[in-house]
Every structure is written in C-alpha cells, then in structure tokens.
Amino acid sequence: MSDKWWKTTVVYQIYPRSFQDTNGDGIGDLRGIIRRLDYLQELGIGAIWLSPVYKSPNDDNGYDISDYRDIMDEFGTMADMDELIREADARGIKIVMDLVVNHTSDEHPWFIESRKSKDNPYRDYYIWRDPVNGDAPNGLRSTFSGSAWEFDEETGQYYLHLFSKRQPDLNWENPNVRQEVWDLMNFWLEKGVGGFRMDVIDLVGKIPDQEITGNGPKLHEYLQDMHRETFGRYDVMTVGETWGATPEIAKLYSNPERKELSMVFQFEHILLDQQEGKDKWDLKPLPVGELKRVLSKWQTELGDQGWNSLFWNNHDLPRIVSRWGDDGGLRVESAKMFAILLHLMKGTPYIYQGEEIGMTNCPISDISEAQDIETINMYRERLGWGYSREDILASINAKGRDNARTPMQWDDTPNAGFTTGTPWLRVNPNYKSINVAANLADPDSIFHCYRKLIALRQANPIVVWGSYELVEDVPEQLFLYLRRHEGRTWAVAANIGATPVSASVPRLGRSSNVIIANYGDRDGADFAALELKPYEAFAVELG
C-alpha cells in the first residue's frame, strides 16, 4: 500500500457554489475553479474533493441529485467539467467527486416514476411503507428535523427520507438500484476522476423497519461489491462519510485486504462540544483532554489495518478557528496552531476552502439571513418547542452550516472578488482583511504555513509513515505527541488555550532543530522547562 498516492497527498475540498463565480450570477461555477487551479497548485495540494456539481433542484445545495450524468446549469456544462478534470490533471491534481447515493432528489426520473403507482417498475427503487394506525410506519426521524417518513396522497403510502422530504432514500436491497449506482460510478471513472467521497455511505445498509440506519448488516457486502464492480479497477481514492464509525468499524472499511474503501471520515472528535445525548445545537465547551484522547486513539488503533483521514472543517461544519480557537486578536496564531497539530499526524489531511487563509464563522442576527435547510428547519422546530429566539440563534452562529458556505474571500474588492453580481450567500464582512491576496503577500501568513506543512509531508516519510505516541504527563491544554520513523523522532506541541502553558518533560531533552512554528521567535525547545504562548504550536526534531 506504500505506493498509494493518496497516502502522501493533501486533499482540498471545494464547495462550488461559494468558490469563484465567473459569469456574475452570484453563484460559483466550474470555470471559476479552473481559473483558480494555479492557486491550488501553489498551495501544493494533490487532489480536490468537489462537492456535488450534478444536476439538482438545490433543495439541499446539490446533495439532492436529479441526474448523476449531467452538470447543474448554474455550474456550467459537461464540457466545463471535462476541461476541469483535464486542467487539474495537468497540474498534478486529481478531481474526487462527491458520490451521493443514499438518496436522490424527488425530481430524479426514478422517483417520479416510483411515486406514480404501487406497481410501477421503479416503485422498489425507494422505500415505501403502509401507514401504521393511520400514522407514520415508525419513529425514525430526519436529520433535518421531524419524521423521516413523508405521506404520499397519490398512492396512500409513506416514503423514507433520512434528510429532506425532497431527498427520498434509495432502496439498496434492490439489486437494480445497486447496478444503477455501479453504472454511474463507472461513467465518472471513465472520465478520469481521481475517486469518490461517499456521502453518508454508512446509511445505505439501513433496515428501516427495525429503525436501523447506520452500519446495517449488509453494508460491507455492498461496499465490497462496489469495489469489485467499479473503482477496484482504478488507481483512485475513496473516502466514506461514516458518522457512526469506531476504529474497529473503520478497519472494516479501510483494511486493504477487505477491498472496500481507502479511508473514512470519522467524526468522534467533531462531536466533543455537544452535550451528551443531545443534538449538535446543544453546546458545551470543548474538553481538550477528550480531544487529545480521541485523536490519539484514531492515530494508534487503526495500526496497519486501516488509514486515517485528518480534518477540522468541511461544508457541514463551522470554521475551526471560530469554534475552538480565537477568531479575534489571535486568529492567525490559533489557525496555524490547528494546522500544525493536525497536518503532522498520520493520515491524509483535508483542507476546506478558506481554511488556509483563516476564514471565520459569519454570525447572523435574524433567521432571514440563513440559507441552509437544516438551520431553517431546526429554528422553526425549536421555536415551536419553546426555545428562545436568542438561544436558537446562538446555536446557529456556533454550529450552523452556512458558516462554512460564505463565499471564498479572494481579495479586498467588492464581494471579496468572488462575484461581480449579488452573492447567493452574503460575504463575511471581514473579507477586507482576511483574503487570499493578503495571505499570498505576507510570507508569515496562514497560507504559507499550510504550504510549508504540505511540503514537509511530501519531503519527510516520518510524517506519512511514522509511529505516534501521545505524551500524557502534561497539562490538559497542552497537546504534545511524538512521531518516530527510521531513527528519527519529531515532537509536536500545541497549546489549545488562550493562556500560556508550561510543562516539564525532561526525558525529551532539548532541541534547537525547529521544523515549523507559528510564533516567529521560537528557536528551539527545552522540554525540561517548556513554555508555550497562547495558541502556540511547533514541531522540533529530537536527538
């Protein structure tokens, strides 16, 4: 497995609606991505994970697909898509498509046919059930609030939707559905894509009658079939979005001997700031000790039987610098700290657009400013439950998905250089100071920190292959770990806190070999009397 390109590369996620608009309609497009490929090449990334660009009515911003073999009009044409694949490849960058096959749009021809009658040939492409006592078949709930069952007047049955009611779930028990999925995947593989990020793939083995959604009994059988029928014949990367994964489950997905996926996204660390047993909107402070424990567990327990993904941000998550760092006076330092901490771990790192320049959350003061369906549904539901408007908005400003989706901040011209028109979602007002142009011009910027981290990974096998050890005899807010490989040892230290921290670990000795640091005055480290400033992070070579 040492020859797999995705083990040494860094992936950059693009949310196309918000990346770069070229025609003035306020919506990012494929030509905008092509225009910015040189920027991404300068950053050093080796793959782009492209959020969905397929034909869609946009009930959930492209994650509701009506045609898997066509491009959404607002993004461009298939000719543009072919050019993007070609131009990215010329720069050594692979395009990883977002595969959304747990559900389709209710405007997909399969579902249009399915709902016509109970004996339609496409009826069994989706999950239909009779009412129970005049109500929904059971208590399954949608991720986007409310029941996961929607009644259809025409045929007198309910259909399942684990997300929006306009995103009916496919019935993977039907072999015809699975064959349709293999066919559409091969369509894109033959175009030369570099693989797939698989949206909520752990849900496709669901048994709705038993209220089993994630990790159903046939899930891995389906994935092994998928591997055999599609991407197993290509040198590509596959990453599954698996909210319910444990290290043991992750090894089932990513052990190369099992012939399933390259890796999964696990979200255990992402759930640490929500109250136990409650929803993501129910907030609590980050327990740094738990963050260290969880990330370290995933570093060590996969062993050689699986591969890890490394991320803080994506299109569904708030900006990490606002979430767990300081998006004010220490924004640059805390953004670099999170970068250094993550990128020197074992696994494939992912950068979400704007993360590399330290983009922040964009708070709203009224629900009319929100675009995201999950946010809007939650607001209405919680108002009905008696929550105060202020508390709901506080949750939205902390965790709402629109925080990640505000347009990319390219420069300090109107609309941050994203569009000459009216942006589909408002630009964060701080774009005048936080933008790509300013980052490129400053050799000490967040961008150049990410660029250096990517170069370090490519030049040093210790980053890719080294063992990992958490140093535990330090204060909670200090995250200190060691990487070892072929006689070399690196120590990585990060202060996840707004106050200075000191520690003493004499066994690590003293080092003057600084590999990277987020404060310019760091000339070494004496681990017997270690001092870190607020949000300080560095890596040194020991010995």
Side-chain angles (χ1 to χ4, degrees):
M1 293 294 282
S2 61
D3 61 343
K4 295 298 184 184
W5 59 267
W6 39 265
K7 291 197 168 186
T8 58
T9 202
V10 174
V11 184
Y12 187 94
Q13 184 191 355
I14 288 178
Y15 194 71
R17 290 179 70 79
S18 300
F19 194 62
Q20 178 69 70
D21 174 28
T22 59
N23 62 3
D25 66 355
I27 296 168
D29 46 49
L30 294 176
R31 301 225 62 81
I33 300 171
I34 295 168
R35 178 177 149 192
R36 297 295 186 177
L37 285 173
D38 288 344
Y39 164 76
L40 297 175
Q41 185 179 24
E42 182 177 356
L43 181 59
I45 57 106
I48 292 168
W49 155 21
L50 194 62
S51 283
V53 293
Y54 317 95
K55 192 79 81 180
S56 168
N58 263 332
D59 185 58
D60 186 24
N61 282 354
Y63 283 86
D64 50 316
I65 296 167
S66 55
D67 188 342
Y68 290 95
R69 291 177 173 81
D70 201 359
I71 300 297
M72 201 185 304
D73 292 341
E74 61 194 26
F75 290 155
T77 65
M78 188 60 82
D80 294 329
M81 187 68 218
D82 291 337
E83 183 179 343
L84 172 59
I85 295 169
R86 192 167 59 247
E87 289 294 324
D89 189 61
R91 292 164 176 81
I93 298 172
K94 299 178 186 291
I95 300 295
V96 174
M97 300 295 283
D98 211 320
L99 184 75
V100 188
V101 289
N102 173 69
H103 48 263
T104 69
S105 165
D106 64 350
E107 294 185 24
H108 194 290
W110 301 339
F111 190 71
I112 291 172
E113 287 297 314
S114 179
R115 74 190 313 175
K116 284 182 177 177
S117 69
K118 291 181 180 180
D119 55 4
N120 189 281
Y122 286 90
R123 185 69 168 185
D124 199 34
Y125 272 47
Y126 297 86
I127 297 168
W128 294 90
R129 295 291 185 269
D130 289 324
V132 174
N133 299 323
D135 205 345
N138 59 34
L140 279 177
R141 285 180 56 80
S142 162
T143 299
F144 292 169
S145 303
S147 172
W149 296 99
E150 181 71 9
F151 188 66
D152 182 66
E153 295 281 352
E154 186 72 24
T155 58
Q157 285 189 316
Y158 286 84
Y159 67 84
L160 182 72
H161 61 92
L162 292 178
F163 295 90
S164 161
K165 66 182 180 182
R166 298 200 57 195
Q167 292 170 292
D169 279 49
L170 284 165
N171 175 21
W172 274 63
E173 292 274 354
N174 183 344
N176 294 331
V177 167
R178 300 197 298 277
Q179 188 60 52
E180 298 270 17
V181 172
W182 312 158
D183 290 348
L184 71 90
M185 292 175 72
N186 285 324
F187 170 84
W188 286 102
L189 288 163
E190 286 158 17
K191 281 186 173 290
V193 301
F196 299 99
R197 175 266 183 184
M198 300 178 180
D199 187 65
V200 295
I201 197 67
D202 58 345
L203 302 182
V204 300
K206 69 181 76 67
I207 307 179
D209 299 325
Q210 298 176 31
E211 300 195 24
I212 295 172
T213 53
N215 298 310
K218 291 187 177 178
L219 173 62
H220 296 284
E221 175 188 325
Y222 294 155
L223 292 178
Q224 288 166 6
D225 289 349
M226 179 189 283
H227 183 284
R228 184 183 65 252
E229 299 293 332
T230 64
F231 54 77
R233 301 191 291 265
Y234 297 82
D235 181 20
V236 297
M237 181 191 92
T238 53
V239 53
E241 181 191 24
T242 57
W243 282 84
T246 62
E248 288 307 311
I249 292 172
K251 284 188 276 193
L252 298 179
Y253 288 110
S254 63
N255 185 337
E257 294 179 3
R258 290 177 53 81
K259 293 184 165 43
E260 294 188 19
L261 307 179
S262 308
M263 70 190 90
V264 297
F265 288 126
Q266 58 82 18
F267 295 88
E268 191 175 355
H269 63 301
I270 293 302
L271 302 175
L272 291 176
D273 60 359
Q274 85 181 41
Q275 295 174 35
E276 191 76 30
K278 294 192 176 181
D279 292 337
K280 79 175 196 178
W281 309 104
D282 301 303
L283 314 173
K284 72 173 185 180
L286 171 70
V288 175
E290 277 295 286
L291 180 69
K292 289 155 62 171
R293 183 190 65 78
V294 167
L295 289 181
S296 298
K297 176 177 74 174
W298 282 89
Q299 283 291 290
T300 57
E301 291 194 14
L302 291 183
D304 296 324
Q305 296 177 283
W307 192 251
N308 207 13
S309 60
L310 306 170
F311 71 97
W312 295 120
N313 299 279
N314 66 29
H315 63 289
D316 285 334
L317 302 175
R319 297 282 181 180
I320 194 64
V321 72
S322 296
R323 184 177 189 176
W324 293 341
D326 179 343
D327 59 11
L330 292 174
R331 180 186 64 87
V332 171
E333 290 79 5
S334 63
K336 289 181 181 179
M337 180 273 292
F338 283 113
I340 291 168
L341 176 63
L342 194 78
H343 279 248
L344 295 180
M345 288 184 173
K346 185 176 183 178
T348 298
Y350 291 74
I351 299 169
Y352 178 68
Q353 65 184 44
E355 180 181 347
E356 78 280 12
I357 61 169
M359 282 178 61
T360 68
N361 281 359
C362 187
I364 63 174
S365 55
D366 189 81
I367 194 61
S368 62
E369 300 170 61
Q371 290 271 9
D372 175 41
I373 183 172
E374 180 189 42
T375 294
I376 294 166
N377 285 357
M378 181 279 287
Y379 180 86
R380 292 170 179 159
E381 185 174 58
R382 291 205 162 193
L383 269 186
W385 289 347
Y387 283 71
S388 74
R389 177 179 171 277
E390 291 72 24
D391 285 349
I392 302 173
L393 287 175
S395 293
I396 290 169
N397 289 332
K399 291 283 193 77
R401 300 194 301 180
D402 284 340
N403 283 308
R405 301 176 181 185
T406 57
M408 184 71 176
Q409 294 162 211
W410 293 105
D411 54 42
D412 63 1
T413 63
N415 294 323
F418 165 69
T419 182
T420 57
T422 302
W424 76 277
L425 183 64
R426 68 176 183 145
V427 175
N428 194 317
N430 62 21
Y431 76 88
K432 291 280 189 181
S433 57
I434 302 174
N435 59 65
V436 167
N439 267 258
L440 291 176
D442 176 6
D444 196 35
S445 69
I446 300 166
F447 173 90
H448 287 294
C449 178
Y450 273 91
R451 187 182 179 199
K452 183 173 183 178
L453 286 163
I454 293 170
L456 284 171
R457 173 170 292 270
Q458 291 165 346
N460 294 276
I462 190 173
V463 182
V464 180
W465 306 113
S467 65
Y468 173 97
E469 177 193 337
L470 177 68
V471 178
E472 302 201 49
D473 47 344
V474 296
E476 182 180 38
Q477 77 187 66
L478 176 59
F479 200 146
L480 177 60
Y481 64 86
L482 307 177
R483 300 295 309 280
R484 292 189 180 93
H485 185 67
E486 296 183 343
R488 299 180 73 187
T489 301
W490 287 11
V492 182
N495 177 9
I496 309 182
T499 57
V501 66
S502 57
S504 178
V505 194
R507 65 185 174 89
L508 299 183
R510 182 195 300 264
S511 172
S512 57
N513 186 353
V514 178
I515 298 159
I516 191 168
N518 67 341
Y519 279 84
D521 58 357
R522 170 66 65 178
D523 59 3
D526 179 1
F527 286 92
L530 195 59
E531 303 280 345
L532 279 83
K533 299 170 184 172
Y535 298 110
E536 185 174 5
F538 65 83
V540 296
E541 182 149 11
L542 301 181

